[in-house]
Amino acid sequence: MRLLNRGKPRTRLSNSTLLFIIAGIIFLLMYGIAIVSFPVSFRQFQTFFDFFNLNAALFITTLGMCIVIIGGGIDISVGAVCGLVTMACALLLQSGAGNVWGALFLALGIGLAFGLMHGFLIAYLEIQPFIITLAGMFLAQGLLTTLHKEPLNVTNPDFVALRRFTIEIPWLGTVNRLGVFIPCEIKPGVIVVVALVVLYAVLMKWSSFGRNLYAVGGNRHSARMLGINVKKTIFLSYVLCGLTAGISGFVFLMTTGAGNIGNGALYEIKAIAANVMGGIMLSGGVGNLLGAPIGTLTLLTINELIRAAGVQSNLQAIVAGLLLYLFIVLQSIIMALRDRREFRLALPPWLKPHRS
Amino acid sequence: MQPEIILKMEGICKSFPGVKALHNVDFVLRRGEIHALMGENGAGKSTLIKILTGVYQKDAGQVYLEGRLVHFKSPQDAQNMGIGTVFQEIALCPNLTVAENMFIGRSRGAFVNWKQMNESAAKMLNSLGIPASPTQELASCSIAVQQMIAIARAVDMDCKILILDEPTSSLDEDETKKLFALMHELKARGVGIIFITHFIDQVYEISDRITVLRNGELIGEYLTAELPQIELVSKMMGKALSDVSAIKKHEPPKSDDSVPVFEARGLSSATGVRPFDFSVHKGEVNGFAGLLGSGRSESVRAIFAADKVTGGEVKINGKVVKIRTPLDAMKQGIGYLPEDRKSDGIIDELSVRDNIILALQVMKGFFRPLSRKQAEEFANQYIQLLEIKTPSLDTSVKSLSGGNQQKAILARWLLTHPMYLILDEPTRGIDVGTKVEIQKLVLKLAAEGMSLTFISSEIDEMLRVCSRLIVMRDREIVGELSGVDLTEQNVMQMIAQGGGE
Ligand SMILES: Nc1ncnc2c1ncn2[C@@H]1O[C@H](COP(=O)(O)OP(=O)(O)O)[C@@H](O)[C@H]1O
Ligand SMILES: [Mg+2]
């Protein structure tokens, strides 16, 4: 520090940090609006925790997506993989042949298989990630409907026990009308979310893989010139994203308790929207991993607002889409203002027209 | 005693689609020498570097590092073998911090020690006097600072070979001095340095040896002390000094007291040409001379506002006007035939007729289309005038020969009756016969009162048609030659030595 403070240029906030702060402010703003508009439900802490309890799988999917987006890629198969995992695990648990551990390994195995395949095709054969993961999405969806068409409740006692398990927070809660204190409850899925957020945040900030991934997302060409193994880095990011999608499937099943062909539907678009709202730029290389859960919260708050306002719930997907547009444009404007350059949409590398 | 050879490249060939970037090039680097690699833009210098560092794979040839045959598959391999490189296009990641850019990709560890990294970076930045903090995002540093950071990274690597591809292009004098001091220090330690620059003075200031490339071919290796500057320039341009064949046929320059047709003061564009003053009089043909990449095209593009104009004042016939877009320029009676007809000029898919009437149509506005009859009349008139060989008016332009395509674009501009026409390399890649025709046409148009600016890589061609040459070097006008001073010898002299005579 002694070296730096001698009239050296002031360090401005990095783009990642700036966007993260903005994402945080937007979330607080949205939540504030929610509290003001619907004080009865939003002033209860449990409502906040229920975001996590009910949407743990979405949080996890968003984390995996965040990693590939930072690397300048995209994975739109995550929702379908999540759905496939719920059904596969449900079948395994119901068949009587498997136990909870078996289901967990199956979930990880399916996620890993998709991750490895996508990573290989995208990193080493250099095929467009959008196309590859679109194919992966169809494949996973096809497998899902082939496995079982009807909703499948899991009655395996171990699993049901796990699913029913709740953790009470004794010092946090609300007093109901009868004057009884009701503590806040969290589900096991939330612990998985928290553990993964911490793990991935550490990975992105302190591991060579994480930093290399930022470099690759920032400028792939330069990253190669700097001696980074670009292909390996990209490969690993998809493997991690696939694995995370597998975990999200298992957590989804822990949340709803049934395999269903609709499970995880639209998670890819929600995950992308949540990341963008969390200040992760689709153009790659910019964004704080902690933005992913923040963005998810923003998205859920907005959806909850819509629901509480009594509008049809299928509006949620429309809103996710619209918000995605809005935030991409917003990010692009912020970046343009910041660099005092012409407005340019912050598009991911796989969407940019090739210039020769 | 002969210094030990650390690097030997033999018979290197490399082609890109449509371009032979390197053909059978040899290069030798010795321990403790600063070796300048010289050549005009596009000569293949950067390509040679990128082959050496594993960015590109060579089509043929061998590379020996300290006598051992090596084959680098990626920049990572080259880096691991002790080759530090500063690439021409600064290859750093804008979204990472300064310190990260200095250290990323260098350690094999699984984790990053930020504290240690920032401390080492701070030391390095401090010792080189680079005004940046290690934790700052690279994007917030100026280009010059980024360049210094790239240099710091390469220097810190403790390498056997240091490659600097145009490292000084955005450095000021002080920074360049610091770099040179550093180079001397490394040289004394036995590092072999490959230095590429387009500043000829710098080559003579620091290098021991020079290798010259031209059009992807090796011209030769020389000791710097034994190669006069002017000979270096002539080798780079591929012109024998004795071959002074200026057959001057141009009329004397017009009287200078008349109001210029076009006049610019302090004109600059986003491409980075130094602000320049320029004027052209009625009936005058002038030209911009200089090595490829010296800013000739950028200058005329600024006149036509083909690149974003960033400053300066423009007068047409003495009246101040605003020219912000090519359309503004066209409306003021300026025409511009771009250097790269493939990407800027010809529209492949359109017919000969449509290509010819394009500029006129643009000026009229697309809501007032020319009638088909009119269009055909115009097109026919110019096809005859310029003797464009085309089977029909409807033939798509891409099936014509290069020379005829060029004439079609020329026709496009002539049709708008410009007062001032800029021709950037109008004769490149076309046969000799057509070349002469175009030269004659230029002189004829000038005699009729049009003002023209003519740019060509062939100096003798410029000498033949231009009555005044503006000489450029390093994106800056270094002088002007006209009248009896306008000789090939003088032009080369000026390019070699800059303005100071
Ligand atoms: N990646 C590439 N793809 C196609 N052509 C290229 C590429 N890189 C260089 N070239 C071509 O190779 C030739 C040599 O370029 P370069 O080595 O960059 O020249 P220099 O560094 O001497 O200015 C030029 O004609 C250039 O257009
Ligand atoms: Mg170059």
Side-chain angles (χ1 to χ4, degrees):
Chain A
M1 284 299 113
R2 309 122 272 151
L3 301 172
L4 312 176
N5 296 336
R6 271 188 285 115
K8 291 288 168 65
R10 64 200 163 77
T11 306
R12 67 168 200 181
L13 286 180
S14 73
N15 286 338
S16 293
T17 311
L18 176 75
L19 288 176
F20 178 66
I21 291 171
I22 294 176
I25 293 172
I26 289 176
F27 165 65
L28 291 177
L29 214 67
M30 285 299 156
Y31 210 79
I33 293 174
I35 289 177
V36 172
S37 319
F38 304 100
V40 181
S41 72
F42 276 95
R43 268 173 57 195
Q44 293 181 7
F45 290 111
Q46 188 59 44
T47 308
F48 182 74
F49 287 114
D50 277 345
F51 275 161
F52 288 93
N53 286 338
L54 300 175
N55 301 287
L58 179 60
F59 278 93
I60 295 169
T61 316
T62 307
L63 285 176
M65 183 72 90
C66 180
I67 285 172
V68 288
I69 290 180
I70 286 176
I74 195 90
D75 184 347
I76 56 169
S77 73
V78 289
V81 170
C82 171
L84 172 64
V85 167
T86 62
M87 187 61 90
C89 290
L91 277 172
L92 181 72
L93 288 165
Q94 285 313 91
S95 70
N99 57 12
V100 173
W101 287 109
L104 180 61
F105 281 117
L106 179 65
L108 293 174
I110 292 174
L112 189 64
F114 274 90
L116 286 169
M117 184 168 66
H118 292 161
F120 175 74
L121 291 170
I122 293 163
Y124 292 101
L125 302 189
E126 298 183 1
I127 313 179
Q128 288 262 320
F130 188 85
I131 303 299
I132 287 302
T133 56
L134 182 70
M137 174 172 137
F138 287 143
L139 176 60
Q141 253 164 12
L143 286 172
L144 170 57
T145 40
T146 314
L147 278 182
H148 200 82
K149 284 205 176 53
E150 307 304 317
L152 185 63
N153 265 313
V154 179
T155 52
N156 176 305
D158 289 345
F159 189 80
V160 172
L162 176 66
R163 183 169 132 51
R164 292 260 167 83
F165 183 75
T166 50
I167 303 153
E168 291 185 351
I169 308 178
W171 39 269
L172 204 64
T174 36
V175 180
N176 74 0
R177 252 175 276 143
L178 301 173
V180 180
F181 179 79
I182 303 172
C184 286
E185 289 179 350
I186 53 173
K187 291 280 187 187
V190 182
I191 297 179
V192 181
V193 174
V194 174
L196 286 181
V197 168
V198 173
L199 183 70
Y200 287 4
V202 168
L203 200 67
M204 293 309 284
K205 175 78 185 175
W206 281 281
S207 78
S208 298
F209 161 73
R211 300 323 293 174
N212 289 353
L213 192 62
Y214 271 100
V216 169
N219 187 333
R220 197 181 160 139
H221 184 67
S222 292
R224 184 167 124 83
M225 307 275 228
L226 289 172
I228 291 168
N229 192 335
V230 172
K231 292 185 176 177
K232 187 172 123 194
T233 307
I234 293 181
F235 173 74
L236 286 177
S237 75
Y238 283 95
V239 172
L240 200 57
C241 180
L243 202 60
T244 314
I247 298 173
S248 81
F250 190 80
V251 170
F252 197 111
L253 194 62
M254 285 206 301
T255 310
T256 65
N260 190 341
I261 38 178
N263 285 355
L266 294 181
Y267 266 30
E268 61 287 332
I269 185 75
K270 286 183 181 169
I272 294 171
N275 274 308
V276 173
M277 285 178 214
I280 320 291
M281 288 190 66
L282 283 181
S283 47
V286 176
N288 187 325
L289 188 114
L290 297 177
I294 299 286
T296 316
L297 281 171
T298 307
L299 179 71
L300 292 172
T301 309
I302 293 171
N303 279 345
E304 199 57 27
L305 271 171
I306 295 168
R307 211 178 57 83
V311 192
Q312 280 175 336
S313 68
N314 59 3
L315 206 72
Q316 290 186 2
I318 299 177
V319 168
L322 288 176
L323 286 174
L324 188 53
Y325 286 139
L326 179 73
F327 275 77
I328 289 175
V329 172
L330 211 66
Q331 274 184 354
S332 309
I333 292 173
I334 293 170
M335 287 299 123
L337 286 179
R338 186 150 219 228
D339 301 345
R340 275 186 232 96
R341 56 164 165 75
E342 282 164 50
F343 176 78
R344 176 164 11 103
L345 268 191
L347 292 178
W350 45 269
L351 254 182
K352 282 199 187 124
H354 276 285
R355 264 187 282 150
S356 55
Chain B
M1 195 190 88
Q2 194 67 357
E4 186 190 345
I5 290 176
I6 40 176
L7 172 75
K8 197 157 144 195
M9 300 175 80
E10 269 179 4
I12 304 293
C13 296
K14 176 73 186 175
S15 296
F16 294 108
V19 196
K20 214 168 202 175
L22 288 174
H23 183 68
N24 214 2
V25 171
D26 302 335
F27 181 80
V28 173
L29 182 71
R30 294 156 194 84
R31 199 177 288 287
E33 90 173 344
I34 298 177
H35 197 136
L37 190 54
M38 299 295 290
E40 291 189 291
N41 264 14
K45 306 175 300 280
S46 296
T47 305
L48 189 69
I49 295 312
K50 286 181 180 170
I51 282 175
L52 172 58
T53 51
V55 177
Y56 296 151
Q57 301 305 311
K58 54 191 179 293
D59 298 339
Q62 290 91 39
V63 179
Y64 299 92
L65 189 65
E66 298 183 309
R68 286 212 323 275
L69 187 66
V70 289
H71 180 73
F72 298 139
K73 284 198 276 314
S74 70
Q76 204 181 358
D77 291 348
Q79 197 173 294
N80 292 343
M81 293 294 281
I83 300 181
T85 317
V86 176
F87 291 100
Q88 181 174 6
E89 62 284 12
I90 304 168
L92 299 176
C93 290
N95 57 330
L96 302 186
T97 68
V98 168
E100 281 193 283
N101 268 295
M102 292 170 68
F103 289 97
I104 203 164
R106 283 170 56 185
S107 89
R108 299 281 136 242
F111 288 92
V112 180
N113 185 339
W114 284 87
K115 188 159 169 280
Q116 194 190 331
M117 182 171 82
N118 286 337
E119 274 169 11
S120 322
K123 238 180 257 160
M124 193 74 196
L125 292 169
N126 210 40
S127 76
L128 292 179
I130 304 173
S133 112
T135 53
Q136 180 180 8
E137 207 177 20
L138 187 85
S140 61
C141 299
S142 71
I143 295 293
V145 169
Q146 293 190 19
Q147 190 128 45
M148 290 299 283
I149 289 165
I151 293 168
R153 174 189 165 96
V155 167
D156 188 46
M157 276 202 267
D158 205 12
C159 43
K160 288 180 241 168
I161 298 176
L162 177 65
I163 302 169
L164 302 164
D165 192 350
E166 309 217 0
T168 55
S169 56
S170 54
L171 300 188
D172 65 23
E173 233 164 274
D174 259 11
E175 291 161 334
T176 305
K177 257 204 209 96
K178 259 183 236 153
L179 172 63
F180 282 3
L182 204 63
M183 284 166 72
H184 276 301
E185 204 183 300
L186 292 171
K187 174 184 157 154
R189 272 201 253 147
V191 176
I193 302 176
I194 303 175
F195 180 54
I196 299 176
T197 181
H198 53 267
F199 295 102
I200 292 168
D201 299 341
Q202 294 182 355
V203 171
Y204 280 88
E205 186 181 338
I206 194 147
S207 75
D208 305 308
R209 234 176 263 261
I210 299 176
T211 290
V212 179
L213 298 181
R214 184 172 69 236
N215 287 332
E217 303 208 20
L218 176 71
I219 301 303
E221 184 195 78
Y222 315 90
L223 283 168
T224 309
E226 292 170 8
L227 185 72
Q229 293 208 7
I230 185 146
E231 248 176 74
L232 171 62
V233 172
S234 87
K235 283 187 196 316
M236 285 163 65
M237 295 175 72
K239 290 252 146 229
L241 275 177
S242 51
D243 175 27
V244 184
S245 54
I247 321 144
K248 277 188 240 170
K249 279 188 203 142
H250 54 78
E251 72 274 59
K254 300 285 182 241
S255 61
D256 264 350
D257 44 276
S258 66
V259 177
V261 168
F262 174 91
E263 189 178 7
R265 301 231 153 267
L267 193 62
S268 63
S269 81
T271 54
V273 270
R274 302 275 161 77
F276 64 97
D277 298 343
F278 172 76
S279 66
V280 58
H281 288 263
K282 191 170 163 60
E284 180 191 352
V285 183
N286 62 20
F288 283 86
L291 296 172
L292 283 174
S294 59
R296 304 179 314 203
S297 298
E298 286 83 352
S299 301
V300 293
R301 288 174 69 86
I303 294 172
F304 192 67
D307 300 313
K308 193 171 185 301
V309 175
T310 51
E313 188 188 63
V314 169
K315 284 184 193 162
I316 300 270
N317 291 322
K319 271 212 336 258
V320 177
V321 294
K322 272 211 158 56
I323 297 183
R324 289 279 167 246
T325 64
L327 187 58
D328 293 347
M330 283 160 70
K331 288 189 170 151
Q332 293 295 342
I334 304 175
Y336 165 63
L337 188 114
E339 170 182 31
D340 186 354
R341 65 171 170 256
K342 274 277 172 314
S343 73
D344 287 343
I346 269 297
I347 300 179
D348 269 354
E349 304 308 320
L350 289 185
S351 67
V352 175
R353 178 190 57 236
D354 291 340
N355 263 295
I356 290 178
I357 64 155
L358 189 67
L360 187 62
Q361 183 66 73
V362 169
M363 279 176 69
K364 280 178 66 113
F366 281 98
F367 298 109
R368 291 191 293 141
L370 287 168
S371 75
R372 193 182 167 91
K373 188 154 153 288
Q374 261 179 321
E376 282 185 358
E377 234 165 63
F378 282 140
N380 269 323
Q381 186 190 337
Y382 280 92
I383 286 174
Q384 273 167 19
L385 185 74
L386 300 181
E387 296 170 13
I388 303 175
K389 291 181 191 69
T390 171
S392 81
L393 285 178
D394 287 312
T395 310
S396 81
V397 122
K398 66 177 170 212
S399 58
L400 301 190
S401 73
N404 282 306
Q405 287 186 5
Q406 195 63 293
K407 284 182 182 175
I409 314 185
L410 202 52
R412 175 195 294 172
W413 288 111
L414 295 181
L415 188 55
T416 63
H417 297 292
M419 173 183 76
Y420 171 36
L421 183 60
I422 302 165
L423 305 171
D424 194 355
E425 299 268 12
T427 57
R428 175 152 70 194
I430 64 182
D431 61 282
V432 184
T434 317
K435 247 181 207 176
V436 174
E437 271 176 54
I438 289 184
Q439 290 165 12
K440 276 194 208 147
L441 181 72
V442 166
L443 292 174
K444 183 166 151 261
L445 290 168
E448 288 169 5
M450 193 186 282
S451 312
L452 292 109
T453 291
F454 184 92
I455 296 181
S456 169
S457 291
E458 294 173 36
I459 284 223
D460 35 343
E461 189 180 45
M462 300 252 274
L463 292 171
R464 217 168 294 147
V465 298
C466 302
S467 56
R468 182 162 64 102
L469 280 187
I470 293 114
V471 181
M472 297 201 68
R473 170 171 150 150
D474 307 330
R475 315 192 146 242
E476 192 170 21
I477 293 179
V478 290
E480 243 184 61
L481 293 167
S482 62
V484 284
D485 294 335
L486 191 50
T487 64
E488 180 155 3
Q489 181 85 28
N490 282 347
V491 173
M492 289 228 216
Q493 195 81 33
M494 205 174 249
I495 293 173
Q497 295 184 336
E501 279 175 65

